[in-house]
Amino acid sequence: MRTIITYAVFIVIVVTAGILSGLSNGPGDWYQALEKPFFNPPAWLFGPVWTILYVLIGVAGARIWQRAPKSAAMQLWFAQMAFNLLWSPAFFGLQNPELGLVVITGMLATIIAFMITAKPVDRVSPLLFAPYLAWVGFASLLNLSIAFLN
């Protein structure tokens, strides 16, 4: 029962924090007016993708928490969450693609560091982060392109 509760708590907290960060720092008219690259995905895609990713992030966090709550992997998990939750306020809230790029670079670095550090603790957690790494890598390119075009 404790395992199920741990998973539920991590998933609910991560999904809720992600949704709140996104809703309180929505794209708005400013973003709509920006020049975007040809590979910019449609707006409707971001919500479902991030919801799935947040569930995977929550599961990975719960797995590491259960195995090594005071480990470097867990600290990196929290660090990547901090960067993740700072990106929308930096990019959309402050309307600053360059600051968003700084934040997303930190997010990418902590995702990679987490994956490397978590592997000896739990082989599944880095696999759960693989889609997240791919999406944030793509989002980084998108962020860089928007900063360059504007």
Side-chain angles (χ1 to χ4, degrees):
M1 185 64 143
R2 184 175 174 193
T3 300
I4 293 170
I5 292 170
T6 301
Y7 278 89
V9 166
F10 267 83
I11 292 168
V12 167
I13 288 173
V14 172
V15 171
T16 301
I19 289 171
L20 289 175
S21 178
L23 288 177
S24 61
N25 296 283
D29 294 336
W30 167 81
Y31 180 74
Q32 301 309 322
L34 292 176
E35 194 70 31
K36 295 176 203 66
F38 71 91
F39 57 87
N40 189 60
W44 62 263
L45 186 63
F46 289 94
V49 167
W50 274 112
T51 302
I52 292 166
L53 293 175
Y54 283 138
V55 170
L56 295 174
I57 292 165
V59 171
R63 292 180 66 87
I64 297 299
W65 182 264
Q66 290 178 327
R67 288 159 180 79
K70 295 181 182 179
S71 66
M74 195 75 241
Q75 292 172 17
L76 286 163
W77 185 89
F78 282 113
Q80 66 76 30
M81 276 306 304
F83 279 114
N84 183 302
L85 296 174
L86 285 173
W87 185 83
S88 286
F91 188 95
F92 294 119
L94 296 175
Q95 300 180 355
N96 191 332
E98 292 80 12
L99 182 57
L101 192 57
V102 170
V103 173
I104 206 166
T105 300
M107 190 187 329
L108 262 177
T110 54
I111 290 168
I112 293 166
F114 170 81
M115 292 173 76
I116 292 166
T117 309
K119 190 173 182 182
V121 178
D122 176 42
R123 292 185 160 279
V124 174
S125 291
L127 297 175
L128 292 168
F129 261 48
Y132 180 36
L133 175 62
W135 183 259
V136 172
F138 171 74
S140 298
L141 180 60
L142 184 58
N143 190 152
L144 176 65
S145 298
I146 290 171
F148 180 76
L149 291 170
N150 296 278

